[in-house]
Amino acid sequence: MANAGGAWDNAKKYIEIEGAKGGKGTETHKACVVGDTVGDPFKDTSGPALNILIKLMSMISLTIAPLLEGVDEWEFWYYGLIP
């Protein structure tokens, strides 16, 4: 998500600075402004938050894995599911 937000932001800058695809005031520029509006939250909040969540889930799974190593009976496997 952080990469996608950065790409949308850079696309708008490319059109504004380089004048690509007709420059400012064109339909392409208007679309890039909308993309930048959506991309800023991706870049600033969603991406970093997901990185932390992925790291947390990895650490929890690596911590719990040794506890499950010797389990042969999986009669109550569904206890871990969210109801």
Side-chain angles (χ1 to χ4, degrees), residues 3-19:
N3 291 338
W8 282 335
D9 187 38
N10 290 338
K12 186 185 80 150
K13 289 178 185 174
Y14 178 66
I15 288 175
E16 290 178 351
I17 295 171
E18 299 291 328

Side-chain angles (χ1 to χ4, degrees), residues 4 13 17-18 20-21 28 35 39 41 46 49 53-54 62-63 65-66 73 77:
K13 289 178 185 174
I17 295 171
E18 299 291 328
K21 301 290 183 182
T28 305
S46 301
L53 181 63
I54 291 169
L62 289 172
T63 304
E73 189 174 317
W77 63 271

Side-chain angles (χ1 to χ4, degrees), residues 18-29:
E18 299 291 328
K21 301 290 183 182
K24 286 186 177 182
T26 61
E27 290 297 319
T28 305
H29 181 255

Side-chain angles (χ1 to χ4, degrees), residues 6-66:
W8 282 335
D9 187 38
N10 290 338
K12 186 185 80 150
K13 289 178 185 174
Y14 178 66
I15 288 175
E16 290 178 351
I17 295 171
E18 299 291 328
K21 301 290 183 182
K24 286 186 177 182
T26 61
E27 290 297 319
T28 305
H29 181 255
K30 291 177 186 175
C32 282
V33 170
V34 172
D36 182 48
T37 304
V38 174
D40 280 341
F42 274 16
K43 183 176 60 176
D44 299 337
T45 58
S46 301
L50 284 175
N51 289 343
I52 293 171
L53 181 63
I54 291 169
K55 288 179 184 179
L56 176 65
M57 291 172 54
S58 298
M59 291 304 297
I60 289 173
S61 65
L62 289 172
T63 304
I64 292 176

